[in-house]
C-alpha cells in the first residue's frame, strides 16, 4: 500500500503563526480586523485565514495577497555562468544619476497596484549602468531592489527551531528575564544539543530550571509529545511561560507541565503528614475545579504577557472567582510537583538559568535516579568549571564534559560560496554528565585511610 500524504494544516483564527522574511521572524496571533506590523509593513491577516500554512504572501494596500509558488521570482537573481563575462565594475559610480525613474514615479507605480516584480523590471530597464555590470553585479543589483520593492514573507507553523531563531534574532535582552545578570542568548545549535544530551522522550519525567520565558520547557514538551511529566523549577511568584503560547500546544500537552518554586526546594521531605493531608484535599477539589483549569491557565499566562491578557478580557480586571480558581490551580500544580520531586528517580535535569548553576545542580541532582543524564548551560565557562569541580568532589556523576559549540553561516551560491563575515563569537558552554550513586566508605577503606604512610613514620 502507498502511504497517503496528510492534508496541509490551515491557518485558523486564534492560533499563533510565524511570519518569516529571511532573518526577520515574528510570532503573531491570527485575529480578524487586527493590524499587524512586520518589517515596516502594516496589514491585516484576514485574507490568510483558511489558507495552508507555508504559503507565501505579498502586501498590497494593507492587505495580504497570496503568491503563486510556481512563479519563480528568484530566477533573475542567478548569475549566468555560461555567458562570457568581459564586463568590469571599475568605472561605475554610485552617484544616483544612473536611474532614470524618479522617486515620485516609483511611488506612483506602487499606488497604481503594480507588483513588486514589475517595479524591479522597470528599474532594470531604466538603469543606464545595468548593462555595464558583471553577471554577479547584476544579480546583486536585482536582489537589492527585490528586498526594497518586493517584500514577501511566509506564514509558517510555529516550531522549536523557528521560535528559537526568533528569540535569538531579537537579542539577549528579549529572551532573558528583565532582572538578568548576564547578557546571554540561547542559540539554536546549543538548544539542539541540550535536547540531545538530556535524552528527552515520551513517558519520561524531567526537571528543568530555566530563565527563557518557557522556550526550553516548550522544546522539551514538544519532544515528549504530551506523555510524561515536566517539572519546571522557577524563581519568583509564578513561572514564566510566555513562549509556550507560541507552540499552540493542546490541553493534554500542558497537563504534563507542573511548576515548583526554587526557594521551596530545600523544604522537600519536610512535614510529610501535612503534605499528605494537602494532597487529599487537592484530590477532592480537583474534580470541582477541572472545568476552571482552562480559564485559570489562560489567566496565568496573561499575567506573564500583559498584552494577551488585555486582549482576551478587554482589560486587566479579574473577579474574585477567577482569582481564587487560579490560586487553587497553582496550589494543585505545586502539590503535584512536590510529590514528583519527593518521590525522586527522575529521568533528566536541564538547567538554563541566570543564577549560579552550581547551587541549582547540587540541590536538584539528588532527585535524579542513577545513570540519568543532566545538562547545564551557561554563557561563561567559569561557573561551569566550579560546578565541574563540585561534581568531581562529591562523586555523584561520571562522564562529565564541558564543551563549546562552533556555528557559522555560509553563503552557498554559484562561484560565490564563502563564510559570512559577521558571526557570533560563542554560543555558550554546556556541562553534561551521568549521575551515579556516590561511594559509601567501608571498614577496609577507613582502615587504609587511617594507616600511616612510610614517610610519616620517619
Amino acid at each position: 500500500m502507498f502511504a497517503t500524504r496528510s492534508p496541509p494544516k490551515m491557518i485558523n483564527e486564534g492560533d499563533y503563526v510565524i511570519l518569516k522574511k529571511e532573518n526577520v521572524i515574528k510570532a503573531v496571533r491570527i485575529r480578524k480586523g487586527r493590524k499587524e506590523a512586520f518589517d515596516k509593513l502594516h496589514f491585516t491577516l484576514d485574507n490568510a485565514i483558511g489558507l495552508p500554512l507555508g504559503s507565501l504572501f505579498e502586501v498590497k494596500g494593507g492587505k495580504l495577497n497570496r503568491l503563486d509558488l510556481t512563479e519563480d521570482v528568484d530566477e533573475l537573481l542567478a548569475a549566468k555562468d555560461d555567458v562570457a563575462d568581459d564586463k568590469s565594475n571599475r568605472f561605475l559610480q554610485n552617484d544616483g544619476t544612473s536611474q532614470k525613474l524618479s522617486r515620485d514615479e516609483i511611488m506612483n507605480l506602487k499606488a497604481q497596484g503594480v507588483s513588486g516584480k514589475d517595479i524591479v523590471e522597470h528599474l532594470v530597464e531604466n538603469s543606464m549602468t545595468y548593462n555595464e555590470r558583471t553577471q554577479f553585479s547584476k544579480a546583486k543589483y536585482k536582489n537589492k531592489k527585490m528586498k526594497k520593492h518586493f517584500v514577501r514573507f511566509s506564514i509558517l507553523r510555529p516550531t522549536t527551531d523557528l521560535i528559537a531563531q526568533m528569540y535569538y534574532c531579537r537579542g539577549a535582552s528579549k529572551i532573558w528575564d528583565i532582572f538578568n545578570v548576564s547578557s546571554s542568548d540561547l542559540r539554536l545549535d546549543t538548544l539542539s544539543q541540550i535536547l540531545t544530551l538530556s535524552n528527552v522522550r515520551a513517558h519520561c519525567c524531567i526537571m528543568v530550571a530555566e530563565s527563557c520565558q518557557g522556550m526550553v520547557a516548550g522544546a522539551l514538551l514538544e519532544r515528549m509529545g504530551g506523555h510524561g511529566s515536566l517539572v519546571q523549577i522557577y524563581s519568583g511568584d509564578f513561572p514564566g511561560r510566555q513562549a509556550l503560547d507560541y507552540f499552540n500546544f493542546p490541553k493534554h500537552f500542558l497537563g504534563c507541565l507542573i511548576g515548583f518554586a526554587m526557594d521551596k526546594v530545600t523544604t522537600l521531605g519536610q512535614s510529610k503528614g501535612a503534605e499528605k493531608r494537602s494532597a487529599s484535599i487537592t484530590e477532592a477539589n480537583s474534580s470541582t475545579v477541572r472545568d476552571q483549569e482552562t480559564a485559570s491557565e489562560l489567566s496565568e499566562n496573561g499575567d506573564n504577557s500583559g498584552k494577551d491578557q488585555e486582549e482576551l478580557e478587554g482589560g486587566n480586571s479579574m473577579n474574585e472567582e477567577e482569582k481564587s480558581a487560579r490560586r487553587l490551580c497553582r496550589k494543585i500544580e505545586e502539590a503535584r510537583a512536590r510529590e514528583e520531586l519527593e518521590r525522586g528517580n527522575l529521568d533528566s535535569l536541564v538547567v538554563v538559568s541566570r543564577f549560579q548553576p552550581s547551587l541549582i545542580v547540587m540541590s536538584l541532582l539528588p532527585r535524579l535516579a542513577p545513570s540519568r543524564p543532566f545538562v547545564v548551560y551557561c554563557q561563561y565557562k567559569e561557573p561551569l568549571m566550579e560546578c565541574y569541580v563540585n561534581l568531581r568532589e562529591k562523586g555523584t556523576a561520571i562522564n562529565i564534559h564541558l564543551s563549546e559549540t562552533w556555528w557559522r553561516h555560509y553563503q552557498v551560491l554559484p562561484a560565490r560560496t564563502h563564510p559570512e563575515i559577521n558571526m557570533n563569537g560563542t554560543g555558550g558552554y554546556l556541562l553534561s554528565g551521568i549521575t551515579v550513586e556516590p561511594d559509601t566508605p567501608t571498614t577496609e577503606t577507613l582502615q587504609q585511610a587511617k594507616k600511616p604512610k612510610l614517610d610519616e613514620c620517619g
Side-chain angles (χ1 to χ4, degrees), residues 79-131:
K80 307 297 189 298
D81 295 333
D82 54 346
V83 179
D85 194 358
D86 55 353
K87 306 291 184 180
S88 176
N89 299 330
R90 70 181 69 179
F91 302 110
L92 297 181
Q93 295 183 1
N94 189 13
D95 52 3
T97 59
S98 60
Q99 181 57 244
K100 298 178 182 178
L101 289 179
S102 63
R103 177 182 176 83
D104 295 336
E105 292 175 344
I106 296 175
M107 297 303 295
N108 290 333
L109 291 176
K110 290 184 178 181
Q112 295 173 6
V114 180
S115 64
K117 182 180 178 181
D118 294 337
I119 292 178
V120 174
E121 291 179 354
H122 280 81
L123 292 174
V124 170
E125 293 175 356
N126 290 273
S127 177
M128 294 185 296
T129 60
Y130 181 79
N131 294 327

Side-chain angles (χ1 to χ4, degrees), residues 47-277:
N47 295 342
I49 298 176
L51 296 178
L53 288 167
S55 301
L56 195 64
F57 294 92
E58 181 187 12
V59 179
K60 284 186 179 180
K63 296 182 180 180
L64 292 183
N65 291 327
R66 186 184 179 186
L67 298 177
D68 189 5
L69 294 179
T70 59
E71 182 181 1
D72 190 5
V73 184
D74 295 335
E75 61 182 1
L76 299 177
L77 305 181
K80 307 297 189 298
D81 295 333
D82 54 346
V83 179
D85 194 358
D86 55 353
K87 306 291 184 180
S88 176
N89 299 330
R90 70 181 69 179
F91 302 110
L92 297 181
Q93 295 183 1
N94 189 13
D95 52 3
T97 59
S98 60
Q99 181 57 244
K100 298 178 182 178
L101 289 179
S102 63
R103 177 182 176 83
D104 295 336
E105 292 175 344
I106 296 175
M107 297 303 295
N108 290 333
L109 291 176
K110 290 184 178 181
Q112 295 173 6
V114 180
S115 64
K117 182 180 178 181
D118 294 337
I119 292 178
V120 174
E121 291 179 354
H122 280 81
L123 292 174
V124 170
E125 293 175 356
N126 290 273
S127 177
M128 294 185 296
T129 60
Y130 181 79
N131 294 327
E132 304 297 328
R133 297 174 179 266
T134 62
Q135 295 295 329
F136 293 149
S137 180
K138 290 180 180 179
K140 192 173 182 179
Y141 176 83
K142 291 181 179 179
N143 191 16
K144 180 180 178 181
K145 298 303 179 182
M146 281 284 188
K147 290 181 179 180
K148 184 176 181 180
H149 301 287
F150 187 52
V151 181
R152 50 178 180 163
F153 59 90
S154 301
I155 298 182
L156 307 173
R157 181 179 68 87
T159 56
T160 299
D161 56 344
L162 289 176
I163 295 174
Q165 290 181 46
M166 178 185 68
Y167 277 113
Y168 176 70
C169 294
R170 288 182 182 180
S173 60
K174 298 297 183 180
I175 183 171
W176 292 87
D177 294 339
I178 57 176
F179 302 105
N180 63 333
V181 294
S182 61
S183 58
S184 172
D185 49 356
L186 189 61
R187 223 165 52 185
L188 178 60
D189 60 323
T190 307
L191 178 60
S192 64
Q193 292 199 35
I194 291 175
L195 297 177
T196 302
L197 294 173
S198 62
N199 194 24
V200 56
R201 63 196 184 280
H203 303 286
C204 65
C205 187
I206 301 179
M207 284 185 296
V208 55
E210 61 149 329
S211 303
C212 300
Q213 302 181 3
M215 187 191 69
V216 178
L220 295 172
L221 283 176
E222 189 178 49
R223 286 286 185 95
M224 294 169 63
H227 303 282
S229 178
L230 179 61
V231 182
Q232 183 182 13
I233 309 297
Y234 62 90
S235 61
D237 298 331
F238 49 84
R241 297 175 180 174
Q242 295 92 326
L244 287 179
D245 296 336
Y246 301 149
F247 286 88
N248 293 325
F249 283 140
K251 186 178 178 180
H252 70 278
F253 273 63
L254 298 177
C256 302
L257 181 62
I258 50 181
F260 194 78
M262 187 179 298
D263 55 358
K264 297 182 180 179
V265 173
T266 56
T267 64
L268 293 174
Q270 300 178 4
S271 62
K272 293 185 178 180
E275 293 300 329
K276 289 182 179 179
R277 288 194 299 269

Side-chain angles (χ1 to χ4, degrees), residues 351-353 355-358 361 374-391 400-404 428-432:
V351 178
V352 187
S353 178
F355 297 104
Q356 186 74 6
S358 180
V361 173
F374 65 91
V375 55
V376 188
Y377 168 81
C378 186
Q379 184 190 12
Y380 308 103
K381 62 181 178 180
E382 287 78 12
L384 295 182
M385 291 174 63
E386 178 185 352
C387 185
Y388 177 91
V389 173
N390 292 336
L391 290 172
I400 308 175
H401 290 285
L402 179 59
S403 60
E404 179 188 11
Y429 298 85
L430 291 177
L431 178 67
S432 60

Side-chain angles (χ1 to χ4, degrees), residues 204-350:
C204 65
C205 187
I206 301 179
M207 284 185 296
V208 55
E210 61 149 329
S211 303
C212 300
Q213 302 181 3
M215 187 191 69
V216 178
L220 295 172
L221 283 176
E222 189 178 49
R223 286 286 185 95
M224 294 169 63
H227 303 282
S229 178
L230 179 61
V231 182
Q232 183 182 13
I233 309 297
Y234 62 90
S235 61
D237 298 331
F238 49 84
R241 297 175 180 174
Q242 295 92 326
L244 287 179
D245 296 336
Y246 301 149
F247 286 88
N248 293 325
F249 283 140
K251 186 178 178 180
H252 70 278
F253 273 63
L254 298 177
C256 302
L257 181 62
I258 50 181
F260 194 78
M262 187 179 298
D263 55 358
K264 297 182 180 179
V265 173
T266 56
T267 64
L268 293 174
Q270 300 178 4
S271 62
K272 293 185 178 180
E275 293 300 329
K276 289 182 179 179
R277 288 194 299 269
S278 63
S280 60
I281 294 174
T282 53
E283 288 177 0
N285 293 333
S286 61
S287 60
T288 60
V289 298
R290 188 170 299 171
D291 296 334
Q292 300 177 358
E293 286 185 355
T294 306
S296 62
E297 288 174 359
L298 290 175
S299 62
E300 180 177 352
N301 292 333
D303 288 342
N304 298 334
S305 53
K307 293 183 180 180
D308 293 339
Q309 181 68 15
E310 292 178 1
E311 293 165 359
L312 288 174
E313 299 183 359
N316 54 3
S317 60
M318 294 180 62
N319 53 34
E320 293 298 329
E321 184 179 357
E322 292 177 347
K323 291 181 180 179
S324 60
R326 184 180 63 180
R327 287 193 295 265
L328 184 57
C329 287
R330 287 180 179 175
K331 291 181 180 180
I332 296 174
E333 185 176 328
E334 182 180 343
R336 289 177 54 197
R338 181 180 289 274
E339 183 181 357
E340 289 281 354
L341 294 174
E342 289 182 346
R343 187 188 305 122
N345 292 329
L346 277 76
D347 296 318
S348 181
L349 171 63
V350 177

Side-chain angles (χ1 to χ4, degrees), residues 197 347 365 368-375 391 395-401 431-437:
L197 294 173
D347 296 318
L365 206 63
L368 292 184
S371 187
R372 295 296 187 271
F374 65 91
V375 55
L391 290 172
T396 56
I398 61 172
N399 198 25
I400 308 175
H401 290 285
L431 178 67
S432 60
I434 299 175
T435 59
V436 293
E437 287 285 351

